[in-house]
Amino acid sequence: MEEDNEQEIVLEDDYYAFLNIPKNATTEEINNAYRRQSRLYHPDKHVDPVLKKEAEILFNHTKKAYEVLSDPHKRAIYDTVGIKGLETEGWEIVQRTKTPAEIREEYERLEREREERRLQQHTNPKGSVTVYINATDLFSKYDEDYDDSLGLFSSIEVSGMSFTQSIEAPLTLKDTITLYGSLATQNGTGHGSINVSAKRLVSSKGWMEVDVGAGNGPTLSIKGFRTLTKRIFCDGATILQFTAHGVRPGLVGTLAMQLDKHTVGYLTYRAGIQSAMSTMLVRDTSRSYTSVSIHLGLVHSYVGLSYVYKMEEKQLKLRGNIRVGTFGAFLEYGVEKKVSRHSSLAAMVRVCVPTGVTLKIRLNRASQTYAFPIHISEEILPAPVFYATVVPLITWTVVKKFVVDPIVKERKERDKEKQREMNKTRMLEKQKEAKTAIELMRATFSRIRAEEEAKRGLIITKASYGRFIYPLQDRPTGEEAGRTRDEVIDVTIPLQCLIRDSKLILHDTSKSQLPGFYDPCVGEEKQLLIQYLFHNQTHECIVKDTEPLRIPIPSHKVNTT
């Protein structure tokens, strides 16, 4: 299933595109663009009262764009965070700052203060539910002659469950309180614990945490993290567990080193409770994740290798894991698929000595995890391994095709419609503004076109902007055209007015922000189609929405013979 990555699209003015200048425009380029557009929209140039009033709106828009881009302070804010930065309250240093960097720092400070106020009003719950299922009777009946009246369902039982839940409450940007607990039951016996921890960010290089818990006796731990150098960091914890037989102390410490851009090495020592020493080498890139670990302990020792192949374009991960130790060995393989923006589904098969074959299914939804380990066989047999591998694949394929895909398609259409409704008022305003601009451009359009015709220069014969459903040569007609239509607008007049000295230059911003343009299909991919004459010869080109354009170009010439 494709990732549900629809995001809210907010229509916001682009001052650079409105003046048709690049984002690195010089002061002179900004001034020239402002003078050109001011002459076009100045209210005094229009006699008709209606056009005069509409011209005043566009003139004020031009003036606003110029005021922002011509002021180094406002331009720095706008370039960094957009129009929302210009509307931010509390710019105490804006009048005395010297550089854009100082303004960015001030905005970040104000953002931190607002974020701190928001954090004090929010908690972040996280949790997991694990259901242990025993299905070993499917492949090895205890008594073949037993009267199995319920068939398949009598071979499956829930052997245990566990729950974990935590609530994280940020007090400030530096202080966080977390309350968490767990409850588990297995084969009729159970246990649980509850903990509360207070974490404080001491500096940008480290933090400290105090954790108090109750369950199998009270526990107290003090944890810390510290960055030692640019490439070396460490963490540690002192643990005290109070039991009926006295206090059991424990110490855990980890030293880590960044070996290169993608590789980190870890060395961990545990003393007291389950004493052990382990080392791990982790390499994480955009395409794969690999870890090699060696664990030496008094109770258990093992060597492990884990590998994940990432297929970002398909939102898919292929996983493999092998471990050999004093208690046995296992091979684990499976796949993880991101099914929406906040959800992922994983299936893993574990073939283990001595426990047999287990199928693990896990669903992550936002901050909640649901896991279902299904113990299929106590022995390693071909049939359980085959069914544990094939059945999830077939089930997912069927469910995806007949259930998931239709739901996702409907959701995407619903999200697009929601975006249209959210921006409906703004779209109508932009559409009205574009039509007004075209009316105000007509005199300028006639003048520029006449000048270009006189010197056999650049003449826009037709220009369309929007979403083209069909290629130019395959456009439907009649009833078919009524069912599936392009979503485009005519922009011939606006483009002709942007021509200077028989040249048209458009920059790498959305063309929907150009004067006389608007977005006819919010959220869709758009293109600009131009047919033009140069030296009385026909030319044609089509470019993507944010692709820069400079015409005329000889390669655009159309062979009319």
Side-chain angles (χ1 to χ4, degrees), residues 225-282:
F225 171 86
R226 176 72 179 179
T227 300
L228 303 178
T229 68
K230 187 177 180 180
R231 299 175 61 183
I232 300 176
F233 54 93
C234 67
D235 62 54
T238 300
I239 305 168
L240 298 177
Q241 184 176 15
F242 299 89
T243 67
H245 304 287
V247 180
R248 296 180 60 193
L251 178 67
V252 180
T254 299
L255 181 67
M257 174 180 287
Q258 187 87 33
L259 302 178
D260 60 35
K261 183 179 179 181
H262 302 289
T263 308
V264 181
Y266 299 89
L267 181 63
T268 301
Y269 177 74
R270 180 186 294 270
I273 304 172
Q274 295 183 354
S275 297
M277 176 176 286
S278 62
T279 182
M280 179 183 292
L281 189 66
V282 177

Side-chain angles (χ1 to χ4, degrees), residues 356-408:
V357 182
T358 303
L359 171 63
K360 298 180 180 179
I361 298 175
R362 187 184 74 250
L363 173 65
N364 291 327
R365 175 63 181 171
S367 58
Q368 298 293 320
T369 300
Y370 305 93
F372 302 90
I374 305 173
H375 193 190
I376 296 177
S377 173
E378 294 179 347
E379 299 179 42
I380 301 178
L381 301 172
V385 175
F386 174 78
Y387 283 105
T389 304
V390 174
V391 170
L393 291 176
I394 296 176
T395 303
W396 167 249
T397 302
V398 174
V399 172
K400 178 180 182 297
K401 182 174 180 61
F402 295 103
V403 179
V404 177
D405 285 352
I407 293 175
V408 170

Side-chain angles (χ1 to χ4, degrees), residues 487-515:
E487 295 176 297
V488 298
I489 57 174
D490 189 297
V491 290
T492 305
I493 292 177
L495 286 185
Q496 187 71 57
C497 291
L498 292 174
I499 291 175
R500 300 286 180 271
D501 300 324
S502 297
K503 293 184 180 66
L504 174 62
I505 301 174
L506 302 179
H507 303 284
D508 56 349
T509 55
S510 175
K511 294 163 182 61
S512 64
Q513 298 288 334
L514 290 168

Side-chain angles (χ1 to χ4, degrees), residues 139-204:
F139 294 94
S140 56
K141 291 280 189 181
Y142 176 72
D143 186 352
E144 294 291 347
D145 298 327
Y146 182 73
D147 184 15
D148 188 2
S149 59
L150 296 179
L152 176 65
F153 294 102
S154 66
S155 302
I156 301 175
E157 65 175 6
V158 175
S159 59
M161 298 183 71
S162 67
F163 304 87
T164 64
Q165 188 69 38
S166 69
I167 300 176
E168 185 179 273
L171 304 179
T172 67
L173 288 180
K174 291 186 176 182
D175 300 293
T176 303
I177 295 291
T178 303
L179 177 67
Y180 62 98
S182 65
L183 183 65
T185 176
Q186 188 78 25
N187 296 324
T189 62
H191 61 86
S193 66
I194 185 169
N195 295 66
V196 61
S197 68
K199 183 177 179 180
R200 180 173 179 80
L201 187 65
V202 179
S203 67
S204 60

Side-chain angles (χ1 to χ4, degrees), residues 14-32:
D14 186 332
Y15 293 147
Y16 290 101
F18 186 72
L19 296 178
N20 193 31
I21 55 177
K23 291 189 176 181
N24 59 351
T26 63
T27 302
E28 183 180 358
E29 289 175 319
I30 295 172
N31 291 335
N32 291 337

Side-chain angles (χ1 to χ4, degrees), residues 464-479:
S464 300
Y465 171 71
R467 183 177 67 148
F468 298 94
I469 303 290
Y470 296 94
L472 300 179
Q473 66 273 16
D474 298 331
R475 301 203 172 271
T477 57
E479 185 179 344

